[in-house]
PDB file of all heavy atoms in Angstrom:
ATOM      1  N   GLN B 123      57.924   4.493   7.308  1.00  0.00           N
ATOM      2  CA  GLN B 123      57.813   4.594   5.840  1.00  0.00           C
ATOM      3  C   GLN B 123      56.504   5.295   5.464  1.00  0.00           C
ATOM      4  O   GLN B 123      56.440   6.090   4.533  1.00  0.00           O
ATOM      5  CB  GLN B 123      57.814   3.202   5.201  1.00  0.00           C
ATOM      6  CG  GLN B 123      59.045   2.373   5.487  1.00  0.00           C
ATOM      7  CD  GLN B 123      58.931   0.996   4.827  1.00  0.00           C
ATOM      8  OE1 GLN B 123      58.759   0.905   3.617  1.00  0.00           O
ATOM      9  NE2 GLN B 123      59.033  -0.060   5.628  1.00  0.00           N
ATOM     10  N   VAL B 124      55.468   4.970   6.195  1.00  0.00           N
ATOM     11  CA  VAL B 124      54.154   5.560   5.912  1.00  0.00           C
ATOM     12  C   VAL B 124      54.165   7.045   6.282  1.00  0.00           C
ATOM     13  O   VAL B 124      53.716   7.905   5.518  1.00  0.00           O
ATOM     14  CB  VAL B 124      53.053   4.812   6.679  1.00  0.00           C
ATOM     15  CG1 VAL B 124      51.725   5.531   6.557  1.00  0.00           C
ATOM     16  CG2 VAL B 124      52.945   3.375   6.167  1.00  0.00           C
ATOM     17  N   GLU B 125      54.716   7.324   7.442  1.00  0.00           N
ATOM     18  CA  GLU B 125      54.753   8.694   7.926  1.00  0.00           C
ATOM     19  C   GLU B 125      55.494   9.591   6.936  1.00  0.00           C
ATOM     20  O   GLU B 125      55.127  10.761   6.714  1.00  0.00           O
ATOM     21  CB  GLU B 125      55.425   8.724   9.306  1.00  0.00           C
ATOM     22  CG  GLU B 125      55.121   9.972  10.094  1.00  0.00           C
ATOM     23  CD  GLU B 125      55.549   9.856  11.552  1.00  0.00           C
ATOM     24  OE1 GLU B 125      55.421   8.759  12.145  1.00  0.00           O
ATOM     25  OE2 GLU B 125      56.026  10.859  12.077  1.00  0.00           O
ATOM     26  N   ASP B 126      56.491   9.023   6.319  1.00  0.00           N
ATOM     27  CA  ASP B 126      57.333   9.758   5.386  1.00  0.00           C
ATOM     28  C   ASP B 126      56.569  10.248   4.146  1.00  0.00           C
ATOM     29  O   ASP B 126      57.012  11.138   3.432  1.00  0.00           O
ATOM     30  CB  ASP B 126      58.497   8.853   4.980  1.00  0.00           C
ATOM     31  CG  ASP B 126      59.537   9.616   4.180  1.00  0.00           C
ATOM     32  OD1 ASP B 126      59.965  10.685   4.658  1.00  0.00           O
ATOM     33  OD2 ASP B 126      59.864   9.168   3.053  1.00  0.00           O
ATOM     34  N   THR B 127      55.415   9.666   3.871  1.00  0.00           N
ATOM     35  CA  THR B 127      54.648  10.082   2.685  1.00  0.00           C
ATOM     36  C   THR B 127      53.962  11.430   2.902  1.00  0.00           C
ATOM     37  O   THR B 127      53.493  12.048   1.951  1.00  0.00           O
ATOM     38  CB  THR B 127      53.519   9.084   2.357  1.00  0.00           C
ATOM     39  OG1 THR B 127      52.607   9.072   3.459  1.00  0.00           O
ATOM     40  CG2 THR B 127      54.046   7.681   2.122  1.00  0.00           C
ATOM     41  N   GLY B 128      53.891  11.856   4.161  1.00  0.00           N
ATOM     42  CA  GLY B 128      53.178  13.104   4.439  1.00  0.00           C
ATOM     43  C   GLY B 128      51.688  12.894   4.639  1.00  0.00           C
ATOM     44  O   GLY B 128      50.927  13.872   4.718  1.00  0.00           O
ATOM     45  N   CYS B 129      51.253  11.648   4.717  1.00  0.00           N
ATOM     46  CA  CYS B 129      49.819  11.403   4.889  1.00  0.00           C
ATOM     47  C   CYS B 129      49.363  11.905   6.260  1.00  0.00           C
ATOM     48  O   CYS B 129      50.161  12.179   7.141  1.00  0.00           O
ATOM     49  CB  CYS B 129      49.496   9.930   4.697  1.00  0.00           C
ATOM     50  SG  CYS B 129      50.069   8.884   6.027  1.00  0.00           S
ATOM     51  N   ASP B 130      48.015  12.024   6.410  1.00  0.00           N
ATOM     52  CA  ASP B 130      47.469  12.683   7.597  1.00  0.00           C
ATOM     53  C   ASP B 130      47.273  11.755   8.781  1.00  0.00           C
ATOM     54  O   ASP B 130      47.049  12.227   9.897  1.00  0.00           O
ATOM     55  CB  ASP B 130      46.116  13.313   7.244  1.00  0.00           C
ATOM     56  CG  ASP B 130      46.264  14.389   6.188  1.00  0.00           C
ATOM     57  OD1 ASP B 130      46.920  15.396   6.463  1.00  0.00           O
ATOM     58  OD2 ASP B 130      45.738  14.191   5.061  1.00  0.00           O
ATOM     59  N   GLY B 131      47.244  10.452   8.528  1.00  0.00           N
ATOM     60  CA  GLY B 131      46.983   9.548   9.633  1.00  0.00           C
ATOM     61  C   GLY B 131      47.025   8.111   9.144  1.00  0.00           C
ATOM     62  O   GLY B 131      47.171   7.853   7.932  1.00  0.00           O
ATOM     63  N   VAL B 132      46.890   7.190  10.101  1.00  0.00           N
ATOM     64  CA  VAL B 132      46.822   5.786   9.702  1.00  0.00           C
ATOM     65  C   VAL B 132      45.533   5.174  10.229  1.00  0.00           C
ATOM     66  O   VAL B 132      45.006   5.576  11.279  1.00  0.00           O
ATOM     67  CB  VAL B 132      48.031   4.959  10.223  1.00  0.00           C
ATOM     68  CG1 VAL B 132      49.320   5.384   9.528  1.00  0.00           C
ATOM     69  CG2 VAL B 132      48.172   5.056  11.732  1.00  0.00           C
ATOM     70  N   GLU B 133      45.035   4.222   9.455  1.00  0.00           N
ATOM     71  CA  GLU B 133      43.881   3.439   9.907  1.00  0.00           C
ATOM     72  C   GLU B 133      44.351   1.988   9.978  1.00  0.00           C
ATOM     73  O   GLU B 133      44.939   1.486   9.013  1.00  0.00           O
ATOM     74  CB  GLU B 133      42.701   3.578   8.928  1.00  0.00           C
ATOM     75  CG  GLU B 133      41.446   2.867   9.407  1.00  0.00           C
ATOM     76  CD  GLU B 133      40.274   3.020   8.429  1.00  0.00           C
ATOM     77  OE1 GLU B 133      40.224   2.268   7.433  1.00  0.00           O
ATOM     78  OE2 GLU B 133      39.420   3.893   8.653  1.00  0.00           O
ATOM     79  N   LEU B 134      44.136   1.339  11.123  1.00  0.00           N
ATOM     80  CA  LEU B 134      44.594  -0.035  11.287  1.00  0.00           C
ATOM     81  C   LEU B 134      43.456  -0.960  10.883  1.00  0.00           C
ATOM     82  O   LEU B 134      42.380  -0.933  11.485  1.00  0.00           O
ATOM     83  CB  LEU B 134      45.004  -0.278  12.739  1.00  0.00           C
ATOM     84  CG  LEU B 134      45.872   0.824  13.381  1.00  0.00           C
ATOM     85  CD1 LEU B 134      46.319   0.387  14.776  1.00  0.00           C
ATOM     86  CD2 LEU B 134      47.087   1.148  12.503  1.00  0.00           C
ATOM     87  N   ASN B 135      43.689  -1.717   9.839  1.00  0.00           N
ATOM     88  CA  ASN B 135      42.636  -2.595   9.328  1.00  0.00           C
ATOM     89  C   ASN B 135      42.594  -3.870  10.159  1.00  0.00           C
ATOM     90  O   ASN B 135      43.314  -4.812   9.896  1.00  0.00           O
ATOM     91  CB  ASN B 135      42.902  -2.884   7.836  1.00  0.00           C
ATOM     92  CG  ASN B 135      41.863  -3.821   7.249  1.00  0.00           C
ATOM     93  OD1 ASN B 135      41.033  -4.387   7.972  1.00  0.00           O
ATOM     94  ND2 ASN B 135      41.913  -4.007   5.943  1.00  0.00           N
TER      95      ASN B 135
END
Side-chain angles (χ1 to χ4, degrees):
Chain B
Q123 301 179 57
V124 172
E125 199 168 323
D126 189 51
T127 63
C129 71
D130 297 296
V132 292
E133 184 180 81
L134 315 186
N135 179 351

